[in-house]
Amino acid sequence: MATALVVQNAEEGGPGRWAEWLPEGGLGVEVVRGHAGEVMPGRLEHQALIVLGGPHLPDDDETAPWLAGARALVRQALDRRVPVFGICLGAQMLAQVAGGEVAGGHGEPEFGSTVLTLRAEAAGDPLFQGLPERPAAIENHVDAIVRLPPGAHWLASSELCPYQAFRVGDVAWGVQFHPEAGPERIAQWPEGRAERHGVDREELRRAAMREDAAAARVWREVALRFAAHVRGGGVSRPV
């Protein structure tokens, strides 16, 4: 089975549902927990790279020293055309490594289930084609991408954050939202992270529960499509 190296950047930020959905699509998962002191491999030997979210900027090496190794892996993957999927911090890292720009504390933060809008370019994308035009996904970010890499394909936006999904070249995707997270993830957020912005985590969890059945179908399909892309098997059916 092909295997994806998954970089975890926070205790509460594991691969979530994708730990089941990717193997369902024939792609194994090997997690390296940078936040826990596990060493980033110097060379990417896996068939795909997934970088998860976390409470850091992508070059915050002083407080998160493993990020330098994670950026090096993203650079290797881009140079060697190894499929990449970046989530939240991982998307920001992909954007930065590929020549875009990220800003800390930029714009309005987003928390909980959020409606996205797919752009016209999504219709020709291997992972996003045929998805519902306005799917919901869980958000948890205060930092944001402010400039996409040169030549990137802009796939989705939200009301408060324009760069919700993009593709670099034909093998690397970044999403500001959390397709791997279900409503239960909200209860695991660090105490006070959402509350300091005036939102209630329990209210967010209940709202996400109402959207979960439809959202899970969409993001499971994206996970299966990414697995198929890594394996060279094309994409799955439209949702």
Side-chain angles (χ1 to χ4, degrees):
M1 181 185 289
T3 305
L5 179 66
V6 179
V7 177
Q8 184 171 336
N9 298 296
E11 181 63 34
E12 71 283 357
R17 293 169 166 178
W18 279 39
E20 298 179 4
W21 292 342
L22 292 174
E24 181 183 343
L27 181 63
V29 170
E30 180 181 331
V31 181
V32 56
R33 297 166 178 82
H35 69 285
E38 296 181 2
V39 178
M40 293 291 124
R43 178 174 171 81
L44 182 62
E45 303 287 357
H46 299 70
Q47 289 72 49
L49 175 67
I50 298 172
V51 183
L52 301 175
H56 312 285
L57 287 167
D59 56 359
D60 190 7
D61 297 352
E62 184 172 342
T63 58
W66 69 90
L67 293 178
R71 292 195 306 275
L73 291 173
V74 173
R75 180 75 268 165
Q76 287 181 41
L78 291 175
D79 289 347
R80 294 165 46 201
R81 299 186 69 254
V82 175
V84 178
F85 202 100
I87 294 173
C88 197
L89 165 60
Q92 296 167 8
M93 183 178 292
L94 171 62
Q96 188 180 79
V97 170
E101 185 178 352
V102 177
H106 180 82
E108 294 289 331
E110 291 181 303
F111 298 107
S113 185
T114 300
V115 175
L116 312 174
T117 299
L118 298 191
R119 292 169 49 83
E121 283 188 84
D125 184 78
L127 303 192
F128 282 76
Q129 62 178 294
L131 299 184
E133 183 179 353
R134 289 174 59 80
I138 290 177
E139 302 270 3
N140 181 18
H141 74 98
V142 297
D143 308 323
I145 297 163
V146 295
R147 180 170 55 85
L148 289 177
H153 302 267
W154 183 10
L155 303 175
S157 63
S158 70
E159 183 177 353
L160 297 179
C161 179
Y163 302 128
Q164 286 286 348
F166 63 97
R167 188 180 81 248
V168 176
D170 58 359
V171 296
W173 287 264
V175 297
Q176 183 60 70
F177 54 91
H178 286 271
E180 86 290 8
E184 70 284 348
R185 176 71 63 84
I186 295 172
Q188 301 168 9
W189 291 350
E191 192 70 33
R193 174 172 170 82
E195 288 81 356
R196 74 172 63 100
H197 294 279
V199 295
D200 181 87
R201 280 191 299 168
E202 180 55 26
E203 288 185 11
L204 294 177
R205 188 193 66 81
R206 288 196 296 265
M209 285 292 295
R210 292 192 291 270
E211 302 282 352
D212 186 52
R217 283 196 299 272
V218 171
W219 306 123
R220 173 180 172 272
E221 181 65 21
V222 169
L224 294 177
R225 290 178 179 188
F226 182 70
H229 189 79
V230 174
R231 292 170 35 247
V235 302
S236 304
R237 67 211 173 278
V239 175

